[in-house]
Amino acid sequence: MTDAADDSARAAGAHRPDATVTAAPEGMRGALWLLRDMRRATGTRLWWALGFLVLGSLSEGLSVVMLLPILQLANADSGSAALDLAGRSIAGLPLPQVSLGLEALLAALVVLVILQALFNRAKAVYLSDVLQDFSISTRAGLFDSIARARWDALVRLPRADLEQALTGEIERIQLASFMTLGIVQTLIGTLIYLGISMALSGPMTLFALGFGILALALMRPFRRMSAEFGNRIQHSRGQQFRIVSEFLSGLRTARSMNAEPQHVAAFNGALNRMKGDAGMHARQSSIGSGLFSVAMTLGATLFVWFSLRVAQMPITEVIVLLLILMRLSPRVMALQSQAQQLLIDLPACRRLAELRQRLDARSEDSAAFAAEPIAAPRRSLQLDKVTYRYPYEAADGTETADASGRAALDGCDITIEIGKVTAIIGPSGSGKSTLADILLGLIRPHDGEFRVDGAALSTAQLRGWREHLAYVPQDPVLMHDTIRANLLAGAAHATDADIQLALTRAAAAEFVARLPRGLDTTVGDRGALLSGGERQRLALARAFLRQPRVLILDEATSALDWQSQTQIAKSLAELPKDVTVVMIAHRPSLVRYADMVYAMDHGRVSETGSPDLLLTDPQSHLSQMMASETHAI
């Protein structure tokens, strides 16, 4: 495999669920972890990037080395002095038999600086591409992990935390990776300058090196403060994301209760706490930076005094050493500032790595995004003694059964005949939505089996099974796009005639026709520009357009008036005979159109029969539902 193909394969596999994701370690060891993660995401391109960093530092060091012969010639008594290369070699390679005058050396220095500028431009572009590839791979990997996670694990995670990880945290990780490469570049440059300095004067180099190491050691408390500040920033930003997400999601409710000031106050409080943390960190960092600058200046002063007064070094060598020291000093200071910034952003790396570990450990077995074909159901769907308990996550991250011990479904026996309309009724918390998740293949029973035409579904068949389904929840979410785009989301190849038929079946054709732009009307964020009933009708139309073999309606008509519900009931009756409808309902308006009714209570099936049969018993749940609705009217 070529390097390019190898890189492509690595980039493609960097965010597969089987890719190893380990938590970022604490402290500066996190830089090594980040480099390893970058290597896994970018392949051999990282080595090329590090090679460019080495070459950049070498070229910069060469320009400084050239100053020594230039200064020597400039200090010579004769204006005709020249640098004779005859008999000299570099790394065993003989140099040309020429003599270089002052003018030639100055011209060579200018050419070197021009080439260095061109090289630095190419290096910057390449490093930017590598960092962007790493950022994209990291973001795509997390998105992929979310998409593959088990449904029952995913719904327990706050949406704000996922949004924060996919947006703000990724930007901090990109900054951390930039700081990591910066630290590598600074270390390489420092080693090169130390090598040049050692060639000129070993004792003086060791003196400067020891002083720099001492200064970095004295700054350790300030680096620890930066790490603590990073953790506080992580917590503060998480608070802000949650406040914003909850406020925007419940904006209508907040306004109806005049509760906006409380949300604004909570958000301002989070901002002010972060401002206080940032101010305290700025004060601490400024003290540390000031002390570090004083220490480095003191070291440079002692270095000059010792080299001139004690070591009695030639002035030209002292000048070159001082130039090297002036190049080294900002690098040592840069190491300190880069390390502090990295420690601030490393908590984001840890948070994202922990999140991916948690999601990948709970990956859906069938989440290979390749649907194994399964035949459309012909006879029945059956829940055979199905029991399901929602998992409970302990403090150590392990999953156990629901701590309450109560099963969401407990030994349920339900048979849904193909081509029939089956209604599932019962009070809130009776297990209806859990049953819908079983039918959708989103969760698997802990005990018992879900069978299609008598055969239990394997994990590999779950995605293929969902190809036959359409699901409409009580509160459907629409994309911030046109009505046409929302309808085509589940049936990309549908024609305009198909769309009109689906709208008619969903009692939506009339209101869509009244809109100024018809199907090209934008519905707003999550359908905010439409009423709840209009959103439900469009969701129903989208489900009809999919032409499913099994249509699952979870309180899908709760926001509709009785005329619309009657029209939809007629549409359900007109569906092809091989289409199965499962209605989950609190209201009896549509239940009377069902062929079979199952009443749920505390996760168990309490009543079974046709609507007419159940209505003959005044104590049945359906009779009580009907009586309650009649009384309410």
Side-chain angles (χ1 to χ4, degrees):
M1 181 182 289
T2 64
D3 287 344
D6 179 61
D7 289 345
S8 299
R10 289 178 183 277
H15 50 82
R16 289 199 309 268
D18 58 348
T20 303
V21 180
T22 57
E26 298 281 348
M28 290 304 297
R29 287 183 299 131
L32 296 176
W33 172 87
L34 202 53
L35 277 175
R36 191 212 63 192
D37 216 39
M38 292 175 66
R39 168 69 179 92
R40 188 174 57 206
T42 62
T44 56
R45 298 189 67 199
L46 179 63
W47 302 130
W48 282 103
L50 295 178
F52 285 148
L53 294 178
V54 173
L55 290 176
S57 298
L58 283 173
S59 65
E60 188 177 343
L62 182 59
S63 64
V64 174
V65 171
M66 288 185 65
L67 291 176
L68 182 59
I70 290 174
L71 290 173
Q72 289 175 340
L73 293 181
N75 194 44
D77 294 335
S78 172
S80 61
L83 177 65
D84 189 6
L85 300 182
R88 304 191 183 196
S89 64
I90 296 179
L93 298 175
L95 296 176
Q97 304 291 320
V98 297
S99 295
L100 300 176
L102 179 61
E103 292 76 9
L105 287 174
L106 290 173
L109 180 61
V110 171
V111 171
L112 177 62
V113 171
I114 292 174
L115 293 175
Q116 187 181 32
L118 294 174
F119 174 80
N120 286 337
R121 179 184 180 278
K123 179 186 70 174
V125 171
Y126 191 85
L127 289 177
S128 175
D129 286 344
V130 171
L131 290 174
Q132 286 297 325
D133 285 347
F134 175 59
S135 175
I136 290 171
S137 174
T138 304
R139 195 188 304 266
L142 177 58
F143 203 95
D144 185 86
S145 295
I146 293 172
R148 296 174 186 273
R150 287 199 331 262
W151 178 251
D152 54 1
L154 196 59
V155 295
R156 295 201 305 273
L157 293 173
R159 192 181 73 186
D161 289 356
L162 298 178
E163 291 174 348
Q164 180 192 10
L166 284 168
T167 54
E169 303 294 46
I170 296 294
E171 302 304 322
R172 293 181 66 195
I173 289 173
Q174 186 173 357
L175 181 58
S177 61
F178 179 77
M179 286 296 109
T180 299
L181 288 183
I183 289 174
V184 172
Q185 182 176 18
T186 301
L187 286 172
I188 292 172
T190 300
L191 291 175
I192 290 174
Y193 280 116
L194 284 174
I196 297 172
S197 181
M198 285 290 290
L200 294 175
S201 175
M204 296 306 301
T205 300
L206 293 176
F207 174 85
L209 178 61
F211 210 90
I213 293 174
L214 178 62
L216 285 174
L218 293 175
M219 294 300 292
R220 184 178 180 183
F222 294 95
R223 292 193 294 273
R224 186 168 58 249
M225 292 176 189
S226 293
E228 294 170 355
F229 174 64
N231 289 323
R232 291 196 298 271
I233 284 290
Q234 179 76 18
H235 177 72
S236 180
R237 289 183 176 177
Q239 277 188 324
Q240 292 174 38
F241 263 86
R242 283 189 287 274
I243 291 171
V244 169
S245 179
E246 292 168 1
F247 177 61
L248 294 179
S249 298
L251 186 55
R252 176 177 293 179
T253 303
R255 289 201 168 183
S256 70
M257 298 187 299
N258 291 328
E260 305 99 321
Q262 290 92 314
H263 289 276
V264 172
F267 189 63
N268 286 337
L271 291 176
N272 288 330
R273 284 191 293 273
M274 189 172 71
K275 176 184 176 182
D277 290 337
M280 181 175 66
H281 178 257
R283 289 188 293 272
Q284 294 171 343
S285 296
S286 61
I287 293 173
S289 299
L291 292 175
F292 196 74
S293 298
V294 170
M296 295 304 295
T297 302
L298 178 61
T301 303
L302 291 175
F303 178 86
V304 172
W305 178 83
F306 192 84
S307 59
L308 290 175
R309 299 301 186 192
V310 179
Q312 298 291 318
M313 295 176 61
I315 187 62
T316 55
E317 291 187 11
V318 173
I319 291 175
V320 173
L321 280 173
L322 190 58
L323 286 173
I324 293 174
L325 183 62
M326 290 174 64
R327 294 292 184 99
L328 277 173
S329 179
R331 278 170 167 75
V332 177
M333 296 179 69
L335 277 177
Q336 171 65 22
S337 61
Q338 289 166 341
Q340 284 186 260
Q341 184 60 54
L342 177 61
L343 290 170
I344 291 173
D345 291 317
L346 272 179
C349 301
R350 287 197 298 273
R351 166 62 181 156
L352 190 140
E354 291 166 0
L355 181 58
R356 281 201 63 188
Q357 276 187 314
R358 179 179 179 182
L359 291 170
D360 290 346
R362 293 152 179 79
S363 178
E364 186 179 79
D365 294 336
S366 65
F369 294 160
E372 180 178 316
I374 177 175
R378 295 181 178 276
R379 299 188 303 277
S380 66
L381 312 178
Q382 184 182 12
L383 275 72
D384 181 14
K385 296 181 174 55
V386 166
T387 295
Y388 181 82
R389 289 182 173 84
Y390 280 96
Y392 170 77
E393 187 168 303
D396 60 359
T398 58
E399 284 188 340
T400 60
D402 185 351
S404 68
R406 185 178 65 84
L409 295 177
D410 188 3
C412 287
D413 284 314
I414 294 177
T415 299
I416 299 171
E417 294 185 32
I418 298 304
K420 303 293 185 179
V421 177
T422 300
I424 310 294
I425 63 175
S428 297
S430 60
K432 300 186 303 298
S433 293
T434 303
L435 188 149
D437 288 344
I438 294 283
L439 294 176
L440 289 166
L442 297 178
I443 56 178
R444 305 297 303 277
H446 290 144
D447 295 305
E449 288 184 329
F450 168 49
R451 297 194 181 104
V452 177
D453 290 339
L457 292 179
S458 68
T459 55
Q461 293 176 319
L462 291 178
R463 294 187 65 82
W465 164 242
R466 289 196 283 266
E467 293 292 329
H468 300 299
L469 308 180
Y471 171 67
V472 184
Q474 180 178 5
D475 188 17
V477 176
L478 302 179
M479 300 181 297
H480 183 46
D481 208 330
T482 65
I483 291 176
R484 186 191 305 275
N486 275 281
L487 294 177
L488 294 176
H493 303 295
T495 65
D496 285 350
D498 295 331
I499 291 175
Q500 289 303 319
L501 177 59
L503 289 172
T504 301
R505 284 178 169 174
E510 185 177 343
F511 97 80
V512 171
R514 290 198 305 265
L515 295 173
R517 300 189 63 189
L519 288 171
D520 295 319
T521 301
T522 300
V523 302
D525 183 39
R526 298 175 176 267
L529 300 181
L530 304 176
S531 69
E534 289 169 342
R535 289 197 297 272
Q536 283 191 341
R537 294 179 200 180
L538 290 182
L540 282 165
R542 181 169 56 189
F544 286 138
L545 195 62
R546 187 172 168 82
Q547 298 181 352
R549 301 300 294 272
V550 179
L551 176 61
I552 301 175
L553 307 178
D554 190 352
E555 289 291 336
T557 62
S558 59
L560 301 183
D561 53 58
W562 68 270
Q563 295 98 328
S564 298
Q565 291 203 25
T566 301
Q567 183 177 346
I568 290 170
K570 292 179 179 179
S571 297
L572 294 177
E574 294 170 357
L575 290 174
K577 297 302 181 182
D578 58 352
V579 175
T580 304
V581 179
V582 179
M583 296 187 302
I584 297 173
H586 285 292
R587 296 168 55 186
S589 305
L590 288 178
V591 176
R592 63 172 178 263
Y593 294 100
D595 299 295
M596 180 63 67
V597 177
Y598 286 90
M600 304 287 296
D601 188 24
H602 292 91
R604 298 182 178 182
V605 176
S606 58
E607 301 169 11
T608 304
S610 66
D612 291 339
L613 176 62
L614 293 180
L615 286 174
T616 60
D617 180 4
Q619 300 303 316
S620 70
H621 189 82
L622 181 59
S623 294
Q624 293 178 22
M625 284 176 62
M626 193 70 71
S628 176
E629 184 171 87
T630 303
H631 178 73
I633 295 175

